[in-house]
Amino acid sequence: MDMTAYGTGLTTGLTLILAIGAQNAFVLRQGIMGAHVFAVCLACAVSDALLITLGVSSFARVAAVLPMLDPALRLLGAAFLVWYGAKSLHRAFRASDALQLATTGAGNRAQALATCLVLTWANPHVYLDTVVLIGSLSTRFPGRELAFGAGAVTASFGFFFALGYGARWLRPVFERPSAWRALELAIGLVMWGIAAKLLLGA
């Protein structure tokens, strides 16, 4: 494997994924609760891996189709983020007991995975980052696109599992109702902020 292409892919993947977003906020929340962490992290990482693979293997064809899909993806993603953000804000203002709220808001594994997958696949920014941007950058390494993609996939797996399992160290902080309310409030505002950007075409 070409380590230069792999290292560039790794760095690029980390740079893109470190930005605060709906997906990361959800993984952080699940990690703090200790709810279905492995399943959620795996779903996020595998989703990224599939999209990155699509980008590095067939960027030219996908780029031709993506403009037609973009408006629909923006509306779908914004609608879901508004709904999810409202749920977080509702939890923030009704919270009286942090640990009880965490358990109540966790849901079962199927619900957590469904939310995780919608946050991932209904967000057009995910396609722009993984399929379009990483796909286009991979063309700078002709014949070594897969090595570049492998680096980006490694970054995704490493980041999501570090975020999900590292969040448990914050659990003592969020045993206080005020801290949990602040997190829910922040997540809700992040969701609504991203929805506004999608609707405005940012």
Side-chain angles (χ1 to χ4, degrees), residues 79-121:
F80 180 80
L81 290 171
V82 168
W83 172 79
Y84 190 86
K87 286 188 63 177
S88 287
L89 292 174
H90 178 64
R91 286 192 295 262
F93 288 110
R94 75 172 184 173
S96 59
D97 183 278
L99 292 180
Q100 187 175 36
L101 174 66
T103 303
T104 302
N108 59 38
R109 182 175 299 170
Q111 291 171 331
L113 284 175
T115 300
C116 173
L117 292 174
V118 172
L119 284 172
T120 301
W121 293 89

Side-chain angles (χ1 to χ4, degrees), residues 140-179:
R140 299 181 183 179
F141 300 91
R144 298 174 291 164
E145 292 92 346
L146 291 181
F148 180 90
V153 168
T154 301
S156 181
F157 270 84
F159 174 81
F160 282 120
F161 278 93
L163 179 64
Y165 283 98
R168 69 187 179 91
W169 298 106
L170 297 175
R171 188 174 177 85
V173 175
F174 288 96
E175 288 177 347
R176 298 195 301 271
S178 59

Side-chain angles (χ1 to χ4, degrees), residues 12-13 16-17 23 44-45 47-57 59 62 66 120-121 123-138 148-149 152-153 156 160:
T12 301
L16 291 175
I17 205 170
Q23 189 185 47
C44 288
S47 294
D48 268 15
L50 292 173
L51 290 168
I52 289 168
T53 301
L54 178 63
V56 300
S57 63
F59 171 72
V62 173
L66 192 59
T120 301
W121 293 89
N123 181 2
H125 286 177
V126 172
Y127 296 90
L128 294 174
D129 285 349
T130 55
V131 178
V132 177
L133 185 54
I134 291 180
S136 64
L137 289 174
S138 71
F148 180 90
V153 168
S156 181
F160 282 120

